[in-house]
Amino acid sequence: MSLSPGVPESSDDHNAVSEGKDCPSPNLDISKDSKSDNGEPNPETTNGDLGESSAEEASAQEFSKIQSQCEHCNAENKHHEQVTPRLLARGQFLLKVDSEGTYQCSETGLIFEVTRKVDIKYCILSWSKYADLVVKPWVVGGPLFDVKCDPASLTSIQFPHSLCLGRHDTNMTFKVFHVKSSGASLEYTVDHSATHVKWRVSSLSPVGPVIQSEEAIFHHGAVILYKVIDHNPSLSFRVYIATNNESFIKDISKSVKHSSKKFMKIDKPPVCQKLLQNGRKYRLISEPEAEITPEEIEFVDGSLLKLKSYIEVYLEQPVEFKLLLVEMDSEEIVWKAKLRECDWVQHDQNRNISKSCISGNRRRKMSSSLADEEAYDKRMRQVDTSDGVKARTLLTDAQLITLAGKLGKDWIKIAIANLELEISDIDAIREKKEEVTISKFRMLKKWQEKEQNNATAQHLYNCLKNTVSADAQDVLKGFLQET
């Protein structure tokens, strides 16, 4: 865990620091005699302002919860009523509950105890923004959330944590890191279990669990793979080793998204079969042999780091291969996966083979390599727009219905995350109970009405590029050629 330098200890649990200014790290309570389950929160007057969640959030489509396979943690997991939230724009969730009770979000693992009917909006934040405020001996214990709700209706929140407590958590202390408009503080928890940390709500703004321990900390781990997409016949991958912490995992997705290279995510079971421990060394092995850089790493929880470490795997020829993550001291296999050609070749095939064009029976010949794909994009950027006519030709209903037929079952996520439509718009469309292609067409029409004169083929292509299927991308490129 990379943390900011320590500061003098203070007995004041709520010594706040100004947020967003140049200032020293806050003097948060780091006393070891305040256990997580024997104290009450120290209420603090605050205006309850929320953190800037929208600036922290990546695309909602990149969210994917990784379930732990730890036998101990699963055995102790208490079952609450599972509820599925609505997915809003910018990675936000909306949970509507109709009565008093305790409800667990099926997407994030958050558990809410409410006193009456209430709407709760929340999202996952990055810890790196608050790295200077988390000081030793405290370390990140799980994801950071921004929760918006009527505080009077919300009694407690249970946060999922990424640690394996086993049977040896007597020397561990959990608290909740709470960022407010006036600064940051550590607040007492009510209780903790093998999977969650329970906190009595004092006010609502970015909150997440932190921990200090006199013993070694064991993490549930995840291995996440991305393949570089380029015109070279060789294979190049990024391998990320992370704690099973949604804030960390989302940061990885965001980092890859903003890289100068293009990547595709390789779908392999991510959960490590053995626990990860800070300071332990691990190495990645390839069968057959590949170039692996670095050859070994010392594991640290990188939740607070803006730059996420990864291992590069390079093979000159595209062959099937195995990857194994091994703990160096014990030689135990922590994680393994077999990568086959079908895991990565479909992306290239979908881009390279000929597809039917949407204009009647007219067909256009697709390029046979990603180099040609890049040349195509370059040509489209060079389209003459001097008179402003070609570039701003609006899409027709015939074009929209053709595109609707190519959109997949995730069209609702696309509408919200990429076209920035409201969930109320989608609900109104679905209430009509029409054939699914017609519903998708109405969704596109709603986007066209919202964009008005900006509802061009180029703008729609920019919104959906690398998000929709290869067939839909071919249709969009066909629109561009027609303008």
Side-chain angles (χ1 to χ4, degrees):
M1 173 73 70
S2 175
L3 295 169
S4 59
V7 295
E9 295 187 8
S10 169
S11 60
D12 183 1
D13 228 11
H14 300 275
N15 190 355
V17 296
S18 299
E19 185 179 6
K21 299 180 181 179
D22 294 329
C23 59
S25 299
N27 297 328
L28 302 181
D29 176 22
I30 56 175
S31 59
K32 296 183 179 180
D33 59 349
S34 54
K35 295 301 179 184
S36 60
D37 56 352
N38 64 355
E40 293 297 326
N42 182 10
E44 180 176 355
T45 303
T46 176
N47 60 10
D49 290 345
L50 296 170
E52 297 177 2
S53 60
S54 60
E56 299 288 337
E57 297 309 307
S59 167
Q61 289 177 291
E62 295 175 359
F63 178 86
S64 58
K65 182 170 178 59
I66 298 179
Q67 298 288 348
S68 171
Q69 294 179 359
C70 179
E71 293 181 3
H72 168 73
C73 298
N74 288 342
E76 290 196 9
N77 189 23
K78 297 179 181 179
H79 296 286
H80 300 277
E81 182 176 347
Q82 293 278 324
V83 285
T84 301
R86 289 184 177 179
L87 180 61
L88 306 179
R90 294 186 174 276
Q92 297 189 81
F93 297 96
L94 175 63
L95 191 65
K96 293 178 173 286
V97 296
D98 295 329
S99 60
E100 178 183 0
T102 303
Y103 303 89
Q104 181 167 11
C105 170
S106 61
E107 295 296 323
T108 64
L110 282 172
I111 300 174
F112 300 102
E113 182 183 0
V114 302
T115 57
R116 58 176 181 262
K117 179 179 179 180
V118 68
D119 293 351
I120 310 171
K121 186 183 290 187
Y122 48 98
C123 61
I124 301 168
L125 300 180
S126 171
W127 275 103
S128 62
K129 179 178 179 181
Y130 306 102
D132 292 340
L133 305 181
V134 182
V135 296
K136 292 181 180 180
W138 296 97
V139 297
V140 170
L144 183 69
F145 293 93
D146 192 4
V147 181
K148 302 176 183 178
C149 174
D150 176 7
S153 304
L154 189 57
T155 304
S156 70
I157 301 175
Q158 294 184 45
F159 303 98
H161 64 73
S162 55
L163 309 175
C164 183
L165 306 184
R167 304 288 180 183
H168 309 287
D169 63 345
T170 54
N171 292 320
M172 292 185 177
T173 303
F174 278 100
K175 287 191 178 181
V176 169
F177 177 81
H178 192 178
V179 182
K180 305 177 182 180
S181 58
S182 57
S185 64
L186 291 179
E187 297 186 3
Y188 287 102
T189 61
V190 177
D191 196 3
H192 68 264
S193 69
T195 58
H196 286 77
V197 178
K198 186 174 182 180
W199 170 69
R200 183 171 291 116
V201 175
S202 58
S203 62
L204 291 175
S205 50
V207 282
V210 292
I211 186 174
Q212 67 167 320
S213 175
E214 298 176 3
E215 301 176 347
I217 298 176
F218 294 90
H219 299 267
H220 296 121
V223 175
I224 304 169
L225 306 176
Y226 287 90
K227 178 187 176 293
V228 176
I229 300 173
D230 55 26
H231 62 279
N232 296 319
S234 57
L235 299 178
S236 182
F237 296 84
R238 282 188 182 183
V239 181
Y240 290 89
I241 302 172
T243 58
N244 196 343
N245 173 334
E246 290 299 341
S247 289
F248 192 171
I249 293 168
K250 197 161 188 177
D251 278 350
I252 291 173
S253 177
K254 192 173 181 179
S255 175
V256 169
K257 181 179 179 181
H258 291 101
S259 171
S260 59
K261 297 180 180 179
K262 292 184 178 180
F263 292 87
M264 65 177 293
K265 192 171 186 294
I266 301 296
D267 188 16
K268 291 295 174 182
V271 175
C272 293
Q273 302 305 311
K274 302 289 183 181
L275 298 172
L276 303 179
Q277 185 179 353
N278 277 10
R280 291 283 179 92
K281 290 187 176 181
Y282 299 84
R283 72 169 179 265
L284 195 66
I285 299 173
S286 173
E287 300 174 356
E289 186 175 352
E291 292 183 26
I292 297 178
T293 308
E295 295 181 353
E296 62 183 58
I297 63 167
E298 180 178 327
F299 175 75
V300 294
D301 177 13
S303 297
L304 294 172
L305 302 176
K306 289 186 178 180
L307 297 178
K308 308 301 181 184
S309 299
Y310 62 87
I311 300 173
E312 181 184 54
V313 178
Y314 176 81
L315 295 94
E316 288 189 358
Q317 299 298 326
V319 295
E320 294 184 358
F321 65 103
K322 289 182 180 179
L323 284 178
L324 299 92
L325 183 68
V326 177
E327 183 185 318
M328 295 183 64
D329 289 341
S330 66
E331 293 295 328
E332 289 186 325
I333 296 175
V334 176
W335 171 91
K336 62 181 178 179
K338 183 171 183 178
L339 281 79
R340 305 171 180 85
E341 189 176 9
C342 60
D343 291 322
W344 67 78
V345 76
Q346 184 174 355
H347 184 281
D348 297 338
Q349 286 181 336
N350 286 343
R351 284 176 173 268
N352 295 339
I353 62 175
S354 296
K355 301 290 182 179
S356 298
C357 189
I358 52 84
S359 301
N361 294 322
R362 181 173 66 86
R363 301 183 64 85
R364 89 182 142 82
K365 193 173 184 180
M366 294 298 294
S367 60
S368 59
S369 70
L370 285 175
D372 292 337
E373 176 81 13
E374 293 169 359
Y376 174 85
D377 288 342
K378 184 176 181 180
R379 288 199 304 272
M380 295 316 302
R381 289 194 296 268
Q382 294 173 344
V383 171
D384 180 16
T385 59
S386 58
D387 59 3
V389 176
K390 284 188 175 183
R392 303 196 65 81
T393 301
L394 300 183
L395 293 164
T396 66
D397 286 354
Q399 289 174 318
L400 294 181
I401 194 68
T402 302
L403 177 60
K406 298 296 184 181
L407 296 180
K409 60 183 180 180
D410 58 347
W411 64 277
I412 296 177
K413 290 183 179 180
I414 291 172
I416 296 171
N418 298 90
L419 301 184
E420 298 184 352
L421 296 183
E422 299 293 334
I423 191 65
S424 58
D425 297 329
I426 303 303
D427 289 342
I429 292 171
R430 297 181 69 184
E431 285 176 0
K432 296 180 182 295
K433 297 182 179 180
E434 296 174 310
E435 195 270 329
V436 65
T437 300
I438 300 300
S439 295
K440 296 173 187 176
F441 168 73
R442 292 189 184 280
M443 177 270 291
L444 292 170
K445 285 293 291 182
K446 190 67 180 178
W447 168 83
Q448 188 181 56
E449 293 171 5
K450 178 175 70 75
E451 295 294 335
Q452 297 183 358
N453 291 336
N454 198 33
T456 62
Q458 184 65 62
H459 183 45
L460 186 57
Y461 176 80
N462 292 340
C463 290
L464 301 182
K465 182 181 179 183
N466 299 330
T467 300
V468 295
S469 68
D471 285 348
Q473 289 190 51
D474 292 340
V475 169
L476 288 165
K477 291 172 184 176
F479 294 166
L480 292 175
Q481 287 191 336
E482 291 174 4
T483 58

